[in-house]
Amino acid sequence: MIIPVASGKGGVGKSLLAANLGISLGEAGKKVILVDLDLGASNLHMFLGLRSVKQGIGTFLNSHHKDFNSILVKTDYEGVSLIPGDAEIPDIAQLKTAQKRLLMRELCGLDADFLIMDLGPGTNYDVLDFFLVSQRGILVTTPALTSILNAYLFFKNAVFRIMSSTFKSKSKAALYIEKLKKDGTPLQKIYVVKLLQKIKEIDIDCYNDFTIKIRNFKPFFVLNMLVNKKDTDKANQLRRSVKEYLDIDIEHLGIISKDAAQDIALNSRLPIVKYKPDSILSQAIYRIADKLLQCESEGEGPLDLENIEESYQIAEMEAEADFQAKLHYMEELLHCGELSKGDLIEIIKSQHYEIEKLKKESNLLKAKLIRAIDEGFVY
């Protein structure tokens, strides 16, 4: 099962999830290969406790006739191997078309139960193309409004990328989109549903081909860094926007609450599921791994709307359970004397800071939306 892991912006915990998810699946007896495709800023090895790597994807692409398996690095974790990315080789972040095709072919030919690809942040063509290699990519986002907006834009860019790979260069559909660009209409201002209605009118063959491909696009998303249980509302907002404006369904793979233990684990060069397997963060990752194992056993098939609805309900219950677990944990620390009143005050201050930061992001986004509406922005 190929699982690309992407994000609309950096700093949302994408690499953390990829690394710890790989270890969790390895513990379940699966053969896992982690691939660092954040080319130009490769650091996945650090989440696995590896101090440095001698060679990686950059070495392979810059060395003629090199065996791809030779850059495979065994980790200290059962069933888990790593293909590093090479951040120090110039221009590795900009792949040529031939290099990208070669890399995709080699990756898809690897012997593994799970191939987890940690992609770079954002929506450049390389990221989108690797994300679309699989039907079941994972997009990681946080409850911050800017992050939710970037997640929506990621899905929108993915839809346009599917269009560009479907519509032949001289087809009426492709020429129509090219005309929109020449007329100065940015793709981000195009209402995808209306665009598809127009394409259906002028080029039914391209429309039908696109419909088949988009039905096979069944992405997951993970909501990370939750501060409170109400943050799950942001998941429903994203789902509604993606369905209404892009006409695609996205399945909720799970929530991960914010946990200070991750910073300690990273500084100790230990994955969180090994440093503190009973932590709220680790348990959330194990839940996500269990869902992927179930997905693997069920095989590929059409998305069931009932299952999609259930995935959001389960995520809300998970958020409630994690919130209660946090309260119980803090109460235990207070009662046993490990958490002083001063520590509790610092925790409250930290949470207050996070809330204020979210408020500022919200106000900034509202101002941008008002400005965009005034300028004629269209979804």
Side-chain angles (χ1 to χ4, degrees), residues 101-255:
R101 287 176 180 168
L102 172 63
L103 193 51
M104 285 181 176
R105 186 168 65 248
E106 293 288 350
L107 289 172
C108 291
L110 290 171
D111 178 25
D113 297 312
F114 285 90
L115 180 70
I116 300 176
M117 303 190 297
D118 180 23
L119 308 181
T123 57
N124 67 51
Y125 284 164
D126 288 343
V127 170
L128 291 173
D129 288 344
F130 281 112
F131 189 79
L132 294 171
V133 163
S134 169
Q135 297 178 352
R136 312 295 333 241
I138 300 173
L139 186 75
V140 183
T141 186
T142 72
L145 287 175
T146 50
S147 186
I148 293 293
L149 178 59
N150 282 320
Y152 167 77
L153 292 174
F154 183 95
F155 286 125
K156 186 169 187 177
N157 279 299
V159 170
F160 277 116
R161 193 60 176 160
I162 293 172
M163 284 186 190
S164 69
S165 66
T166 305
F167 303 157
K168 294 180 180 178
S169 59
K170 299 299 180 182
S171 65
K172 292 179 181 178
L175 292 173
Y176 179 73
I177 292 177
E178 200 60 39
K179 182 178 181 301
L180 290 176
K181 292 179 184 177
K182 287 181 180 178
D183 291 343
T185 306
L187 292 182
Q188 292 301 345
K189 291 188 177 182
I190 294 175
Y191 185 13
V192 171
V193 175
K194 285 187 177 180
L195 173 63
L196 289 172
Q197 289 173 351
K198 181 65 177 179
I199 289 173
K200 186 177 181 180
E201 292 173 8
I202 64 173
D203 195 335
I204 189 64
D205 289 336
C206 279
Y207 175 82
N208 288 336
D209 289 343
F210 173 79
T211 301
I212 292 169
K213 280 194 175 184
I214 204 67
R215 281 177 184 166
N216 290 326
F217 183 47
K218 300 177 287 187
F220 294 114
F221 81 97
V222 168
L223 195 61
N224 190 19
M225 300 184 187
L226 267 72
V227 177
N228 61 66
K229 55 188 176 182
K230 289 187 178 180
D231 284 340
T232 55
D233 294 342
K234 302 297 193 307
N236 289 307
Q237 292 172 12
L238 177 61
R239 178 195 181 189
R240 286 193 296 269
S241 296
V242 169
K243 182 61 180 176
E244 181 177 354
Y245 299 113
L246 306 179
D247 196 26
I248 58 175
D249 291 300
I250 52 176
E251 188 171 347
H252 203 327
L253 195 56
I255 62 97

Side-chain angles (χ1 to χ4, degrees), residues 14 35-43 56-59 61 83-89 91-96 99-100 103 107 118-121 124 126-127 130:
K14 168 182 58 63
V35 187
D36 193 343
L37 281 168
D38 188 356
L39 303 176
S42 305
N43 65 355
I57 289 173
T59 315
L61 293 176
I83 294 181
D86 281 353
E88 298 180 0
I89 295 183
D91 300 325
I92 187 62
Q94 302 295 324
L95 292 176
K96 297 175 183 177
Q99 288 178 320
K100 184 160 56 177
L103 193 51
L107 289 172
D118 180 23
L119 308 181
N124 67 51
D126 288 343
V127 170
F130 281 112

Side-chain angles (χ1 to χ4, degrees), residues 167-378:
F167 303 157
K168 294 180 180 178
S169 59
K170 299 299 180 182
S171 65
K172 292 179 181 178
L175 292 173
Y176 179 73
I177 292 177
E178 200 60 39
K179 182 178 181 301
L180 290 176
K181 292 179 184 177
K182 287 181 180 178
D183 291 343
T185 306
L187 292 182
Q188 292 301 345
K189 291 188 177 182
I190 294 175
Y191 185 13
V192 171
V193 175
K194 285 187 177 180
L195 173 63
L196 289 172
Q197 289 173 351
K198 181 65 177 179
I199 289 173
K200 186 177 181 180
E201 292 173 8
I202 64 173
D203 195 335
I204 189 64
D205 289 336
C206 279
Y207 175 82
N208 288 336
D209 289 343
F210 173 79
T211 301
I212 292 169
K213 280 194 175 184
I214 204 67
R215 281 177 184 166
N216 290 326
F217 183 47
K218 300 177 287 187
F220 294 114
F221 81 97
V222 168
L223 195 61
N224 190 19
M225 300 184 187
L226 267 72
V227 177
N228 61 66
K229 55 188 176 182
K230 289 187 178 180
D231 284 340
T232 55
D233 294 342
K234 302 297 193 307
N236 289 307
Q237 292 172 12
L238 177 61
R239 178 195 181 189
R240 286 193 296 269
S241 296
V242 169
K243 182 61 180 176
E244 181 177 354
Y245 299 113
L246 306 179
D247 196 26
I248 58 175
D249 291 300
I250 52 176
E251 188 171 347
H252 203 327
L253 195 56
I255 62 97
I256 302 175
S257 295
K258 194 162 187 178
D259 193 336
Q262 170 52 32
D263 292 334
I264 301 171
L266 188 59
N267 290 335
S268 303
R269 293 189 176 273
L270 281 172
I272 187 64
V273 294
K274 290 296 185 182
Y275 172 75
K276 199 171 184 181
D278 59 344
S279 68
I280 292 172
L281 175 52
S282 295
Q283 290 303 306
I285 292 171
Y286 282 129
R287 288 194 304 248
I288 292 170
D290 286 341
K291 292 173 186 176
L292 289 176
L293 289 168
Q294 183 180 354
C295 185
E296 182 202 28
S297 66
E298 292 173 352
E300 295 294 345
L303 277 181
D304 188 315
L305 292 180
E306 187 175 326
N307 288 342
I308 292 174
E309 186 65 39
E310 185 181 356
S311 74
Y312 287 81
Q313 295 170 0
I314 290 172
E316 289 179 5
M317 289 188 289
E318 290 171 348
E320 173 68 33
D322 284 358
F323 179 73
Q324 294 300 329
K326 269 188 174 181
L327 288 179
H328 181 66
Y329 178 62
M330 289 177 66
E331 286 174 0
E332 283 187 340
L333 290 178
L334 274 171
H335 291 151
C336 71
E338 289 190 26
L339 182 67
S340 67
K341 289 183 179 180
D343 292 333
L344 186 58
I345 290 170
E346 287 301 316
I347 291 171
I348 293 171
K349 282 182 178 179
S350 174
Q351 291 183 341
H352 179 71
Y353 170 76
E354 291 294 334
I355 291 170
E356 288 300 314
K357 189 169 73 170
L358 289 173
K359 284 181 180 178
K360 288 179 181 178
E361 287 186 348
S362 175
N363 291 333
L364 178 62
L365 183 59
K366 285 177 183 176
K368 286 183 177 180
L369 288 174
I370 291 170
R371 197 181 312 122
I373 291 169
D374 291 340
E375 294 173 357
F377 178 85
V378 182

